[in-house]
Amino acid sequence: MRWVVLMAGHAKSQIMARNPNPRLNKRRQRAKTYLLESLPTSSAQTPCPNFIENLVRSLLPIAAGGFRPIYKIMDTSSPAVFVNAELLKMYQGRRVRAVVQVMRNEGGLIVGQSTDGHQLTVKVSQAFPLSHFVEVIGIADGNQSIRAEICTDFGDTYDTLAYNGLCQLANGKFKNLFL
């Protein structure tokens, strides 16, 4: 079994310009494409528990010349809870994430239908086409309103049942798996 981990492609030219030492350039160039001949496995053919940690540790010295470690990219300082209109009232004043289908635009407001069929009002800074699904990340203002920080247009088709199920699981049985 072969695994390939690709590092940032544009970094090679920056590294070459920054460092005239050809031996270091070769070492850093190897970091660009890191090929593992075989994946270490336990007896049950599952990856060893420390495999990812060991891989990251082995790449960090090579990547020290300007690559950002992958694990520092995701910001978990202020997570947003997955909600629908029914669950929104539990999170007033907190950061939430919801998907609404736009029913009408009213100057800085979107009135839309949540994935559970209830109406939500979203305070936004931009307009979205009618009947499009929009993911909203923001602060829950009231029982049925959100003050949006980030809005993403998901287009005119979206599986509302799947998202609604995700909201139920993320706030119920599997709450400990979500931030």
Side-chain angles (χ1 to χ4, degrees):
M1 183 181 295
R2 289 182 174 214
W3 290 71
V4 177
V5 178
L6 295 176
M7 304 292 279
H10 69 281
K12 179 181 173 185
S13 60
Q14 293 173 351
I15 290 170
M16 297 292 190
R18 242 190 354 230
N19 193 352
N21 186 341
R23 243 180 34 192
L24 284 176
N25 284 335
K26 267 191 172 179
R27 187 170 181 212
R28 288 183 179 138
Q29 191 174 2
R30 274 185 294 184
K32 187 175 177 229
T33 306
Y34 192 82
L35 178 65
L36 301 175
E37 290 299 319
S38 61
L39 177 67
T41 56
S42 64
S43 60
Q45 290 301 319
T46 57
C48 290
N50 299 347
F51 174 71
I52 299 297
E53 183 179 311
N54 291 339
L55 176 64
V56 170
R57 282 188 183 159
S58 67
L59 287 176
L60 284 179
I62 298 170
F67 296 111
R68 262 184 13 199
I70 295 169
Y71 60 85
K72 289 189 178 183
I73 294 173
M74 186 172 150
D75 179 21
T76 57
S77 60
S78 60
V81 181
F82 287 96
V83 297
N84 54 24
E86 180 184 341
L87 296 166
L88 185 64
K89 58 184 164 238
M90 295 171 37
Y91 296 102
Q92 287 187 20
R94 290 188 52 199
R95 197 159 193 244
V96 295
R97 174 187 307 254
V99 173
V100 296
Q101 183 176 18
V102 179
M103 295 299 160
R104 50 182 204 271
N105 287 313
E106 297 177 353
L109 288 176
I110 289 178
V111 177
Q113 182 177 2
S114 178
T115 55
D116 60 353
H118 295 91
Q119 182 174 311
L120 280 178
T121 305
V122 182
K123 297 171 187 159
V124 296
S125 59
Q126 63 199 52
F128 290 94
L130 296 180
S131 78
H132 272 226
F133 289 92
V134 177
E135 181 189 45
V136 178
I137 300 174
I139 306 298
D141 271 347
N143 285 347
Q144 302 299 313
S145 72
I146 301 172
R147 186 177 64 243
E149 296 170 352
I150 302 168
C151 294
T152 306
D153 190 349
F154 281 174
D156 56 359
T157 57
Y158 190 76
D159 189 352
T160 58
L161 291 175
Y163 185 83
N164 202 40
L166 173 67
C167 291
Q168 297 300 325
L169 291 173
N171 289 283
K173 185 177 179 181
F174 297 106
K175 189 173 187 173
N176 59 332
L177 295 177
F178 295 87
L179 297 175

